[in-house]
Amino acid sequence: SQELEQSPQSLIVQEGKNLTINCTSSKTLYGLYWYKQKYGEGLIFLMMLQKGGEEKSHEKITAKLDEKKQQSSLHITASQPSHAGIYLCGAENDMRFGAGTRLTVKP
Amino acid sequence: GAGVSQSPRYKVAKRGQDVALRCDPISGHVSLFWYQQALGQGPEFLTYFQNEAQLDKSGLPSDRFFAERPEGSVSTLKIQRTQQEDSAVYLCASSPGGHAANYGYTFGSGTRLTVV
């Protein structure tokens, strides 16, 4: 199955700062999902990327998939406390997830 | 229903007890997944159904774990002779098609199982 590695494992940023989370696959991805999980809750779908070089945005969150379709980055601009949570990438072909990146935004 | 419903929300079981966790997916959703999420970890895949057919059960950790979806809608994850290492949040997700394409999977809020 697909191995997805996320970095960093955790991130603490000051409100208003930009940040980037990375997801690297051991194999070429058919598609990649980004989800957000608030502590103790289910996962919320953010976006899905399918094409090499594709970039999508949702509010202040932008995700890109590289041309080789093995790496994705998720970028948050001007972070807010509401962005806090665990960000998870998942592979479309087998719906396995990375271990997640825990984001804390300090007011 | 409006979303994926899981019950119970919390379950405390004594070691050795059998438990059954229920997932009620969005009506008409073909695909259904079960995941196990330990504290501080990402969700680990357990099993996948397409309608009533269990197409992948490679993630089930042992033969104590059993999942079914007899009519292609509600699914039950059963854990026999629970052990402390089974303590986790069990998440269910569903999607309309064989794979979720552009709309992702809808997750339930999970069942938190604590084995004492």
Side-chain angles (χ1 to χ4, degrees):
Chain A
S1 63
Q2 207 99 26
E3 292 281 339
L4 292 174
E5 207 166 297
Q6 288 188 238
S7 63
Q9 284 187 323
S10 65
L11 193 53
I12 302 172
V13 299
Q14 204 67 41
E15 183 176 358
K17 295 293 186 186
N18 303 335
L19 63 105
T20 300
I21 296 167
N22 294 300
C23 175
T24 303
S25 170
S26 59
K27 299 178 183 177
T28 300
L29 295 157
Y30 292 122
L32 182 106
Y33 295 101
W34 281 102
Y35 282 85
K36 178 185 173 185
Q37 186 177 30
K38 291 236 171 191
Y39 304 114
E41 297 181 16
L43 280 65
I44 299 166
F45 173 72
L46 294 176
M47 57 192 89
M48 184 197 176
L49 304 165
Q50 282 186 298
K51 299 175 186 174
E54 186 175 10
E55 180 175 317
K56 285 188 179 177
S57 291
H58 173 70
E59 297 176 350
K60 291 186 178 178
I61 301 175
T62 300
K64 297 179 187 178
L65 183 62
D66 75 338
E67 290 290 343
K68 291 184 180 178
K69 296 176 67 175
Q70 283 192 269
Q71 191 162 18
S72 178
S73 60
L74 184 136
H75 184 78
I76 299 177
T77 305
S79 58
Q80 299 168 359
S82 61
H83 287 126
I86 302 169
Y87 288 82
L88 293 150
C89 61
E92 194 272 341
N93 46 312
D94 64 5
M95 274 304 285
R96 265 67 167 179
F97 285 90
T101 295
R102 186 179 294 267
L103 173 64
T104 303
V105 180
K106 289 189 168 182
Chain B
V4 177
S5 178
Q6 291 188 247
S7 60
R9 187 77 173 89
Y10 301 94
K11 176 71 179 176
V12 178
K14 290 187 177 177
R15 193 159 58 96
Q17 188 179 348
D18 296 350
V19 298
L21 312 180
R22 178 188 168 107
C23 173
D24 212 325
I26 293 172
S27 179
H29 274 199
V30 168
S31 296
L32 186 145
F33 291 80
W34 282 99
Y35 292 87
Q36 180 191 59
Q37 188 174 25
L39 191 63
Q41 303 293 319
E44 291 287 337
F45 170 83
L46 293 177
T47 187
Y48 161 56
F49 288 87
Q50 189 166 323
N51 295 307
E52 68 278 4
Q54 190 173 19
L55 298 186
D56 187 347
K57 54 182 181 179
S58 61
L60 296 175
S62 76
D63 58 8
R64 295 187 296 105
F65 286 71
F66 173 75
E68 60 182 3
R69 194 186 184 198
E71 294 175 4
S73 54
V74 171
S75 177
T76 304
L77 176 67
K78 296 179 180 176
I79 309 173
Q80 295 177 321
R81 305 180 304 281
T82 51
Q83 304 293 316
Q84 281 195 312
E85 63 262 28
D86 300 335
S87 296
V89 174
Y90 290 84
L91 293 165
C92 176
S94 72
S95 80
H99 278 282
N102 290 314
Y103 27 74
Y105 293 78
T106 304
F107 279 81
S109 297
T111 293
R112 183 177 296 275
L113 173 65
T114 304
V115 181
V116 297

